[in-house]
């Protein structure tokens, strides 16, 4: 383990940025697009579901980001492959020790829907995971798009929408995901689950030598601090590496409005002063207002200083994770596709087509960077267009047949 790892350095300096694709989100094309854009924008970590196909999709996008260079697209110096080869994000996989809102999907029988239903579920879904195409196409929830936010549940006029929870089987999934070369594991837990947490942790321990980081995600609740100290003792008995406490304030709500960030900040303040040692990272309701609010509360680490990992008034947050809000910033590109189409275009000799892909990619990266850069102000290369990379041949195009 070394502080020369860019993601670990970001944690130590308080400007760690994590993209949350979703613990139950399995739409592979969107995962590739999100990972590609946020990798190019400077993300330190990509958090995905414990699904080999999802992990592979994210890895493909990271690899594409670190080798991509398209003539005439005028991408920024910070997305040049020489820069990205030394700054690739860590890939994290989320597991749970019991029922959790992040590990569920909505379900309903579309045949029961009234013919005159205004379909509020379809309109309210932030992931376009509910659709009613013309028969014979299947109607209802598109499972791979649903990430379990639950917004559709209360709006159904006949109250028929339910959620189906999933608890991962560590004995089955851990060998598969570790074989793919992931960098970190995040455990989602809730107060009162010490025994369940210990069982899951025992399954993870044999794989710890191959991991760079462990994270624990938890909601607010009674006796939360005491619970975290218990988990800290369980983990530290066998793990001495970086440990992140993710304060999941208001899960999957960041795209609803600026006020959703308050719960994560409030929980973080308590954990910073009273919680166990480790890095504290915000999540759950984070959005474009989070950095500003954190700065106003004195929770950001001053430039040039290191994050304190010990509890007390001097402790500051190590970073911020963004999920639903990060996805919302790229909605237009997720709808039209980016990464898969890009791979096809960069293999073509048509410079105009390749240029069009570059322009779409540039626009998506700019949108992602607008969320990343406030946390990393002054610490990353500015996303300015430069023509000096426009004539560099594309490694992707050279490595693959037309």
């Amino acid at each position: 383990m070394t502080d020369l790892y860019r993601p670990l350095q970001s944690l130590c300096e308080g400007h760690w940025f994590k993209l949350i694709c979703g613990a139950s989100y399995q739409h592979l094309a969107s995962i590739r697009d999100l990972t590609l854009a946020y990798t190019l924008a400077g993300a330190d970590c990509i958090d995905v579901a414990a699904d080999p196909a999802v992990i592979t999709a994210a890895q493909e996008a990271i690899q594409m980001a670190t080798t991509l260079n398209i003539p005439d697209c005028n991408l920024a110096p910070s997305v040049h492959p020489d820069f990205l080869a030394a700054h690739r994000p860590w890939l994290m996989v989320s597991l749970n020790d019991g029922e959790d809102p992040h590990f569920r999907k909505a379900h309903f029988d579309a045949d029961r829907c009234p013919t005159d239903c205004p379909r509020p579920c379809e309109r309210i879904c932030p992931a376009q995971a509910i659709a009613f195409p013309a028969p014979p196409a299947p109607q209802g929830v598109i499972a791979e798009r649903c990430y379990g936010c639950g917004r559709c549940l209360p709006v159904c006029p006949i109250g028929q929408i339910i959620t189906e929870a999933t608890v991962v089987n560590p004995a089955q999934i851990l060998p598969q995901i570790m074989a793919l070369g992931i960098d970190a594991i995040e455990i989602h837990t809730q107060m009162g689950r010490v025994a369940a947490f210990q069982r899951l942790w025992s399954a993870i321990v044999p794989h710890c030598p191959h991991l760079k980081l462990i994270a624990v995600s938890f909601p607010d609740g009674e006796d939360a601090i005491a619970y975290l100290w218990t988990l800290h003792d369980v983990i530290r008995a066998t793990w001495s590496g970086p440990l992140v406490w993710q304060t999941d304030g208001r899960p999957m709500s960041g795209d609803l409005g600026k006020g959703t960030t308050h719960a994560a900040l409030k929980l973080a303040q308590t954990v910073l002063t009273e919680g166990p040692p480790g890095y504290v990272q915000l999540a759950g309701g984070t959005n474009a207002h989070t950095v500003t609010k954190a700065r106003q509360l004195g929770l950001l680490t001053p430039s040039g200083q290191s994050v304190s990992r010990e509890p007390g008034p001097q402790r500051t947050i190590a970073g911020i994770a963004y999920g639903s809000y990060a996805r919302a910033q790229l909605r237009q590109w997720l709808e039209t596709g980016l990464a898969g189409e890009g791979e096809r275009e960069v293999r073509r000799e048509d410079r105009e087509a390749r240029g069009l892909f570059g322009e779409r990619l540039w626009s998506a990266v700019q949108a992602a960077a607008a969320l990343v850069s406030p946390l990393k102000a002054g610490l990353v290369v500015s996303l300015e267009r430069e023509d000096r990379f426009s004539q560099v041949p594309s490694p992707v195009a050279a490595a693959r047949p037309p």
Side-chain angles (χ1 to χ4, degrees):
M1 195 73 62
T2 170
D3 283 0
L4 294 178
Y5 285 121
R6 194 282 299 264
L8 183 55
Q9 181 180 352
S10 295
L11 270 179
C12 293
E13 297 177 355
H15 50 86
W16 159 276
F17 181 103
K18 185 176 84 169
L19 168 69
I20 302 173
C21 289
S24 60
Y25 191 57
Q26 296 168 300
H27 191 253
L28 301 185
S30 294
I31 289 163
R32 277 192 291 266
D33 290 344
L34 285 164
T35 302
L36 176 62
Y38 279 97
T39 295
L40 293 173
D44 297 292
C45 183
I46 311 293
D47 184 3
V48 300
D51 179 331
V54 169
I55 295 169
T56 300
Q59 289 174 325
E60 289 172 352
I62 292 172
Q63 180 62 22
M64 185 179 182
T66 56
T67 58
L68 187 64
N69 215 319
I70 309 166
D72 301 326
C73 71
N74 297 329
L75 289 175
S78 61
V79 300
H80 189 264
D82 289 344
F83 177 88
L84 286 161
H87 295 78
R88 75 187 287 142
W90 284 348
L91 188 59
M92 174 183 285
V93 167
S94 286
L95 305 176
N96 58 329
D97 62 8
E99 286 198 18
D100 186 283
H102 302 87
F103 295 79
R104 66 180 185 178
K105 291 182 182 291
H107 176 76
F108 65 91
D109 183 357
D111 291 338
R112 289 188 54 209
C113 296
T115 56
D116 59 347
C117 181
R119 297 172 180 170
C121 58
E122 184 178 19
R123 295 195 304 273
I124 203 170
C125 179
Q128 292 79 51
I130 298 177
F132 294 88
Q139 299 182 328
V141 177
I142 306 170
E144 63 268 22
R145 285 184 174 272
C146 178
Y147 58 81
C149 72
R151 299 179 201 177
C152 58
L153 273 66
V155 303
C156 177
I158 62 173
Q160 71 148 328
I161 304 179
I162 61 171
T163 57
E164 297 178 340
T166 301
V167 179
V168 296
N169 181 339
Q172 179 181 26
I173 198 63
L174 277 168
Q176 297 180 45
I177 64 177
M178 293 305 303
L180 292 171
I182 64 169
D183 301 296
I185 285 178
E186 179 169 272
I187 303 171
H188 288 249
T189 189
Q190 296 184 24
M191 272 60 78
R193 289 185 181 170
V194 175
F197 185 94
Q198 288 176 317
R199 285 193 296 272
L200 177 54
W201 178 246
S202 296
I204 294 171
V205 167
H207 304 282
C208 282
H210 305 288
L211 296 171
K212 299 181 177 75
L213 179 145
I214 294 293
V216 177
S217 180
F218 57 94
D220 201 354
E222 187 176 356
D223 298 325
I225 296 301
Y227 182 63
L228 295 184
W229 276 100
T230 300
L231 300 188
H232 171 269
D233 293 343
V234 170
I235 294 169
R236 283 307 188 202
T238 49
W239 170 259
S240 59
L243 175 60
V244 171
W245 302 105
Q246 177 170 284
T247 61
D248 195 15
R250 184 177 170 183
M252 299 172 284
S253 66
D255 57 323
L256 292 175
K258 64 181 183 180
T260 60
T261 196
H262 294 305
L265 289 164
K266 179 182 177 183
L267 179 55
Q269 286 178 296
T270 303
V271 177
L272 288 167
T273 56
E274 303 174 23
Y279 298 102
V280 178
Q281 174 222 279
L282 304 179
T286 51
N287 52 39
H289 303 275
T290 303
V291 170
T292 299
K293 295 293 184 183
R295 182 175 291 112
Q296 291 172 351
L297 294 169
L299 301 183
L300 296 184
T301 305
S303 179
Q305 297 185 23
S306 297
V307 171
S308 172
R309 284 169 277 178
E310 298 299 322
Q314 78 290 344
R315 196 179 186 188
T316 51
I317 63 170
I320 304 173
Y322 297 86
S324 59
Y325 189 81
R327 288 187 291 267
Q329 303 318 293
L330 299 191
R331 183 168 291 134
Q332 64 174 297
W333 294 280
L334 299 184
E335 291 174 352
T336 59
L338 184 64
E341 183 64 24
E343 284 197 85
R344 287 191 292 273
E345 289 182 355
V346 297
R347 281 184 279 170
R348 295 174 53 182
E349 295 301 322
D350 186 341
R351 294 178 67 87
E352 181 179 358
R354 291 165 71 180
L356 288 174
F357 165 65
E359 289 300 319
R360 291 202 309 276
L361 176 59
W362 167 252
S363 298
V365 172
Q366 279 194 311
L371 187 58
V372 176
S373 58
L375 185 60
K376 296 179 174 289
L379 297 169
V380 296
V381 179
S382 176
L383 287 174
E384 297 291 342
R385 292 173 180 264
E386 288 201 4
D387 291 334
R388 64 192 177 98
F389 296 123
S390 63
Q391 299 305 317
V392 180
S394 167
V396 176
R400 294 178 178 171

